[in-house]
Amino acid sequence: MSKKHFLLLSMAALLFTSCCTLVNGTKAKLTVKSDDVTTPVTLTYDGKTETNIFLPYEIKIKRGSKPTVVTAEAKGYEKASVSVKKKFNAMAIGNIIFGGIPGIAVDAGTGAWMKPETKEITIPFKPVSNIEIQEPAIQSSENTNERVSRDNAGETSLERTIIRWYLDSAPRGSRIFWRVISSVPDEVKNTNELYLGTTPYEETRSFNILGLTYANSRDIQIEIKMRRPGYMEQTKRFNVRQAIDQQEISSFFDLVKE
């Protein structure tokens, strides 16, 4: 056998013996989803942490036989984890046929002969209990069944409830406007639009909604509008009771060009 033929055969053998590794690589794609969380999320997996992301989101996890634990954290929710198990990658059979022991050794060393059992996971977020996130003043000084009228405003602690506001958009620099929409106008007035700021916007501030109580908060919404020249206006509404329970209003606006 000539030296040239020997080199060609050696290169072919190397390609066959690392078939699975070359095709699949040492990491696999995994989509992380949530049923209802729209706030920024922090993900931790395989010793890596990614912050301020929005679900669904695609990550790359290690192959190999060990499960990967994906842990997610979001404001107003308990920390949640999902264990992603691995299974045998059928493509590794080609290595057994063509590469034999050397091929198996290559894929075993890189972990390429295993892959996740699923291509996507859903994080089982659970809201933090009201007792943990509500301010003491809300619990102690206010009857949850209390009703007021617009003529008796300024008497409840919820009018001054402080929550976190976090709003962002793509592209950034969009102008933010908000207003109160009330289905009980005898107790809480509707308001005109107020300018809040530009994205990214993050602040801890109060509602300052006169006449607001825990009893009527389900009937009140905060409307957020995002505006930027050259892009279509976007509007989202947030239930005030849910915002009080979660202690925040948070969302991301992906603007569309006109």
Side-chain angles (χ1 to χ4, degrees):
M1 180 184 295
S2 67
K3 184 179 294 185
K4 182 178 180 180
H5 288 161
F6 176 78
L7 289 174
L8 289 174
L9 288 173
S10 298
M11 292 175 64
L14 180 60
L15 289 174
F16 278 127
T17 57
S18 57
C19 172
C20 200
T21 299
L22 288 174
V23 173
N24 293 317
T26 60
K27 293 187 178 182
K29 294 180 180 179
L30 180 74
T31 300
V32 182
K33 301 169 60 179
S34 169
D35 290 332
D36 49 17
V37 173
T38 59
T39 59
V41 175
T42 296
L43 293 179
T44 303
Y45 56 94
D46 291 338
K48 181 179 180 180
T49 299
E50 295 190 60
T51 61
N52 200 33
I53 62 177
F54 293 86
L55 303 182
Y57 184 76
E58 185 178 88
I59 63 176
K60 290 185 178 181
I61 63 174
K62 292 180 180 179
R63 297 179 183 273
S65 57
K66 293 183 178 180
T68 291
V69 177
V70 180
T71 300
E73 298 177 74
K75 181 72 173 181
Y77 295 86
E78 298 177 4
K79 183 187 294 187
S81 297
V82 174
S83 179
V84 183
K85 296 181 179 180
K86 314 295 174 58
K87 65 180 180 180
F88 180 70
N89 190 349
M91 189 170 290
I93 295 176
N95 253 3
I96 298 174
I97 297 173
F98 294 108
I101 298 302
I104 298 173
V106 171
D107 287 344
T110 61
W113 66 350
M114 303 294 287
K115 65 179 181 179
E117 288 186 343
T118 180
K119 293 183 179 180
E120 64 179 39
I121 59 172
T122 300
I123 302 296
F125 280 111
K126 292 182 179 180
V128 176
S129 64
N130 295 349
I131 295 176
E132 295 178 12
I133 63 176
Q134 288 180 2
E135 297 177 355
I138 296 176
Q139 301 173 51
S140 61
S141 66
E142 188 163 348
N143 187 329
T144 57
N145 294 319
E146 178 185 2
R147 310 294 292 201
V148 297
S149 71
R150 55 197 297 175
D151 299 324
N152 189 33
E155 300 295 330
T156 72
S157 60
L158 273 181
E159 294 173 348
R160 302 177 299 279
T161 297
I162 296 175
I163 65 169
R164 173 179 177 263
W165 297 61
Y166 180 82
L167 300 165
D168 203 355
S169 68
R172 288 183 163 181
S174 303
R175 293 168 61 84
I176 309 167
F177 297 85
W178 77 289
R179 68 178 180 130
V180 175
I181 299 178
S182 171
S183 59
V184 284
D186 290 340
E187 299 175 18
V188 176
K189 298 179 183 179
N190 293 290
T191 67
N192 296 323
E193 287 185 359
L194 298 172
Y195 175 68
L196 190 62
T198 58
T199 58
Y201 179 87
E202 183 173 13
E203 186 178 5
T204 301
R205 63 191 300 273
S206 67
F207 282 128
N208 196 29
I209 300 176
L210 297 181
L212 179 67
T213 67
Y214 197 74
N216 65 26
S217 59
R218 288 188 185 277
D219 302 314
I220 314 299
Q221 292 183 315
I222 298 294
E223 182 180 84
I224 303 290
K225 285 188 177 181
M226 199 71 64
R227 294 172 180 159
R228 183 180 175 89
Y231 291 82
M232 297 178 64
E233 179 181 281
Q234 282 194 23
T235 301
K236 293 185 180 182
R237 292 184 178 181
F238 303 85
N239 182 265
V240 171
R241 170 71 69 85
Q242 185 176 8
I244 292 170
D245 291 342
Q246 296 180 0
Q247 291 289 279
E248 75 170 9
I249 289 179
S250 178
S251 189
F252 180 82
F253 292 73
D254 192 4
L255 301 183
V256 179
K257 288 187 176 181
E258 292 181 336

